Amino acid sequence: MPRFITAHATHPDAHGALALAAAQIEAQRAALAPALRPTLGWVYLTDALAPQADNLLDDLQQRWPGVHWVGNTGAGVMASGVEYIDEPALVLMLSDLPTGQFQVFNGRTPMLAAGAHSALVHADPHTHDLDELITELAGRTASGYLFGGLAATAQRCAHIADGVFDGGLSGVAFGPEV
């Protein structure tokens, strides 16, 4: 059964916030038996950290090699029992979902219709044909079910899917067992 662990932190620098959250993640991983071997990660950044999204994704990929990353920027982020609004913060979640049960997609790597049951979608609200893109994407899933949200920041409406993107949409498609 897949497991999920989460962490969150606030710090004026994305690298500092990541270091604080990573310490929480590693403590949780060490407490699990067997240890969690993450395959998929989520990262959500507040507006203040949005300009550092590219460097942060590089750090995430170096810290956890082989993990696929998805996420978004927003005016605020939430984690268990805490909300960060108008301050620099990030939230992480890692899971050990079987790699055959999900596919990260973005503008360079389209979602494959075969095997997709539903999808988590993040989008730039400034995309002029967003409604058509969402309708097309829903048609590529067996259930037609999409969930997710819009990037909502004053700085940079970025979304993350094994890369950092401005414009369009991205996310992760899930197989029927997820």
Side-chain angles (χ1 to χ4, degrees), residues 81-162:
V82 65
E83 295 178 4
Y84 299 102
I85 299 172
D86 294 329
E87 63 182 309
L90 61 78
V91 175
L92 300 177
M93 182 167 70
L94 288 167
S95 179
D96 58 355
L97 288 169
T99 55
Q101 285 298 310
F102 69 87
Q103 183 219 346
V104 173
F105 61 90
N106 55 52
R108 293 187 299 243
T109 307
M111 183 176 79
L112 303 175
H117 181 73
S118 61
L120 168 63
V121 181
H122 299 109
D124 181 335
H126 302 108
T127 303
H128 67 80
D129 56 349
L130 190 56
D131 54 342
E132 288 119 19
L133 290 171
I134 290 172
T135 300
E136 177 189 339
L137 195 61
R140 293 185 187 188
T141 66
S143 67
Y145 183 66
L146 304 179
F147 58 99
L150 298 171
T153 68
Q155 295 280 327
R156 179 181 184 195
C157 290
H159 47 101
I160 298 162
D162 287 341

Side-chain angles (χ1 to χ4, degrees), residues 5-11 16-25 28 42 44 49 77-84 87-93:
I5 54 177
T6 62
H8 56 89
T10 181
H11 193 280
L18 176 57
L20 293 169
Q24 296 170 45
I25 290 286
Q28 292 175 61
W42 290 259
Y44 293 94
L49 297 183
V77 294
M78 296 182 287
S80 297
V82 65
E83 295 178 4
Y84 299 102
E87 63 182 309
L90 61 78
V91 175
L92 300 177
M93 182 167 70

